[in-house]
Amino acid sequence: AQRVTQPEKLLSVFKGAPVELKCNYSYSGSPELFWYVQYSRQRLQLLLRHISRESIKGFTADLNKGETSFHLKKPFAQEEDSAMYYCALKGGGYQKVTFGTGTKLQVIP
Amino acid sequence: DSGVTQTPKHLITATGQRVTLRCSPRSGDLSVYWYQQSLDQGLQFLIQYYNGEERAKGNILERFSAQQFPDLHSELNLSSLELGDSALYFCASSVALASGEQFFGPGTRLTVL
């Protein structure tokens, strides 16, 4: 079975402070990991995927297979980063995608 | 709009009733996924269709059913509604059969009174 755990329901940080949204997963094979973001009154959208190893809007995420984690990080939080963030895992082959319960990021001005 | 569309935006109904939610995928996408989003449970996968066939099932209640039509739009039918069914229902689509890169619709907010 595959599982995604986001331990924090709410994370509040001040503008300019570093951000780390935690994501831990459970999967026996080699997963694909994703971060999705949902801004207020907007639809859920893909933020980044571990395969691309890209930085989007200043956010990065590194897959740590030893710790089975895929934490989302940004060195300096901006007010526009306030949103709901979901970590998602897709197993190999035709496995479905499993989403975590989400973390609400609140950036305080 | 070439993105995923969902109708209606809002739906208010009473317990025991039946409703149908509609989703049109992005042009060219063959997979449609349905999710339920509630405050305490996050985003829960319900069911997936690919090119008209059911391909994966998640935590979908027996009172719920779905189908995907030849034109690839999909409908989620919710019956014998209960207060606990109140939630946001999202549809997503992707080109591939099973993809982690999904494109989401705006959602339908269902309120059961």
Side-chain angles (χ1 to χ4, degrees), chain A residues 2-9 22-25 33-36 38 44 84-90 97-103, chain B residues 35-45:
Chain A
Q2 53 194 56
R3 176 175 286 185
V4 176
T5 302
Q6 293 181 252
E8 301 139 329
K9 276 196 168 182
K22 290 184 168 43
C23 172
N24 289 92
Y25 67 89
L33 276 298
F34 305 83
W35 275 100
Y36 279 79
Q38 187 177 26
L44 202 66
M84 194 75 177
Y85 291 81
Y86 288 93
C87 181
L89 176 152
K90 182 188 167 310
V97 176
T98 298
F99 284 83
T101 50
T103 297
Chain B
Y35 294 90
Q36 180 190 58
Q37 185 185 45
S38 56
L39 279 173
D40 55 343
Q41 300 230 0
L43 204 61
Q44 296 281 312
F45 169 71

Side-chain angles (χ1 to χ4, degrees), chain A residues 36 38 43 49 86 90 94, chain B residues 4 37 98 100-102 104:
Chain A
Y36 279 79
Q38 187 177 26
R43 62 186 70 191
R49 72 209 92 175
Y86 288 93
K90 182 188 167 310
Y94 299 126
Chain B
V4 179
Q37 185 185 45
E101 185 173 350
Q102 299 176 11
F104 281 76

Side-chain angles (χ1 to χ4, degrees), chain B residues 18-93:
Chain B
R18 172 191 168 94
V19 297
T20 298
L21 313 183
R22 182 189 168 102
C23 167
S24 291
R26 284 190 328 156
S27 177
D29 285 357
L30 299 177
S31 272
V32 168
Y33 312 80
W34 284 98
Y35 294 90
Q36 180 190 58
Q37 185 185 45
S38 56
L39 279 173
D40 55 343
Q41 300 230 0
L43 204 61
Q44 296 281 312
F45 169 71
L46 295 178
I47 197 164
Q48 180 206 355
Y49 280 81
Y50 178 79
N51 204 21
E53 290 187 16
E54 181 187 305
R55 296 308 296 254
K57 252 184 175 178
N59 302 322
I60 188 166
L61 300 171
E62 283 191 18
R63 300 183 285 109
F64 296 1
S65 64
Q67 53 184 326
Q68 186 180 29
F69 295 87
D71 67 352
L72 300 177
H73 91 271
S74 178
E75 292 180 357
L76 179 67
N77 301 296
L78 315 175
S79 61
S80 303
L81 285 168
E82 301 175 359
L83 295 177
D85 297 328
S86 296
L88 259 173
Y89 291 84
F90 286 104
C91 166
S93 73

Side-chain angles (χ1 to χ4, degrees), chain A residues 29-62:
Chain A
S30 292
E32 292 179 53
L33 276 298
F34 305 83
W35 275 100
Y36 279 79
V37 62
Q38 187 177 26
Y39 300 104
S40 179
R41 293 192 175 85
Q42 292 188 29
R43 62 186 70 191
L44 202 66
Q45 56 187 286
L46 180 66
L47 180 63
L48 52 78
R49 72 209 92 175
H50 90 271
I51 289 177
S52 305
R53 301 184 67 80
E54 57 201 342
S55 172
I56 303 291
K57 298 184 179 184
F59 283 99
T60 59
D62 289 319

